[in-house]
Amino acid sequence: MAKHGSISNSVIKRLPRYYRFLGELLKDNIVRISSRELSQKMKLTASQIRQDLNCFGGFGQQGYGYNVEELHNEIGKILGVDKHFKTILIGAGNLGRAIATHINFETRGCHLIGIFDVNPALTGVEVAGIRISHTSDITKFCKENQPVIAVLCIPKANTQRIADELVKLGVKAFWNFSHYDLSIDYENIAVENVHLGDSLLTLAYNTNVICEENDTDKNKA
Ligand code: NAI
């Protein structure tokens, strides 16, 4: 089996999707699935699926396909969903509150244990069952609770400084929603910069392509 650190980024990016699809199959009580069936559902080629899963030692059996529960569990382990990484969220504005409320951290390997905001008017307000703390309490909280992941929902101007402070306090990973691409200057720190707007721009580009093709077809007719 390949070491997790040696798996290509493109394979890692596909794993959450495998995990989600397999979870849905499990809910539908499907016990096993062939790579061909899985490929049809996921719109990937069967050989792509076999190649991806072979990176981790392969889970299928010739002529049987994949045991859905086993594969779901194995991919979950690879993704770390059984780890319950202690997570804090910084910035309890519109986005921060929506994320704290609507993202199921527990089923994705994370356990949200603290929410912080610089605005004193928010201190003590409850979101997702957690009382918001003032940012002045972050140092003490991190020393006592040692969170591993920080979700950043703050304006971009403050992002690098806050991230630097959190790294000094032992945080190892950032799920960064601020419109600032956190540089990965630190050793062994994981960063996921998320820009929902980039996804919309990709959609706009593809919409543009379709509309232009339609216009060309109309002009030909
Ligand atoms: P908001 O203004 O509703 O909330 C921001 C919160 O951060 C406020 O409660 C503020 O008091 C707090 N804050 C500011 N500086 C802080 C600091 N140093 N420490 C702790 N808390 C601090 O804004 P909203 O809508 O929640 O957006 C937050 C950020 O996320 C903005 O920068 C926005 O541009 C960005 N954003 C990113 C998206 C993405 O896809 N990546 C989508 C939507 C917003």
Side-chain angles (χ1 to χ4, degrees), residues 90-96 116-119 122 135 153-156 158 161-162 177-179 194-197:
I90 319 289
N94 292 314
L95 183 66
F116 297 85
D117 199 289
V118 77
N119 179 356
L122 293 177
T135 36
C153 300
I154 49 178
K156 67 176 177 184
N158 303 322
R161 180 180 57 79
I162 299 277
F177 284 85
S178 76
H179 284 311
V194 183
H195 297 284
L196 296 175

Side-chain angles (χ1 to χ4, degrees), residues 127-197:
V127 178
I130 296 171
R131 285 190 194 283
I132 299 170
S133 302
H134 192 263
T135 36
S136 56
D137 292 335
I138 288 183
T139 304
K140 184 170 177 278
F141 184 93
C142 287
K143 284 184 180 157
E144 283 172 9
N145 298 284
Q146 300 176 343
V148 183
I149 298 177
V151 185
L152 302 180
C153 300
I154 49 178
K156 67 176 177 184
N158 303 322
T159 306
Q160 191 69 56
R161 180 180 57 79
I162 299 277
D164 289 343
E165 279 174 29
L166 290 171
V167 168
K168 281 190 200 131
L169 289 167
V171 168
K172 300 278 177 242
F174 293 94
W175 197 25
N176 174 32
F177 284 85
S178 76
H179 284 311
Y180 173 87
D181 283 331
L182 263 188
S183 57
I184 315 173
D185 293 341
Y186 326 108
E187 285 256 319
N188 293 324
I189 298 291
V191 177
E192 269 294 311
N193 293 307
V194 183
H195 297 284
L196 296 175

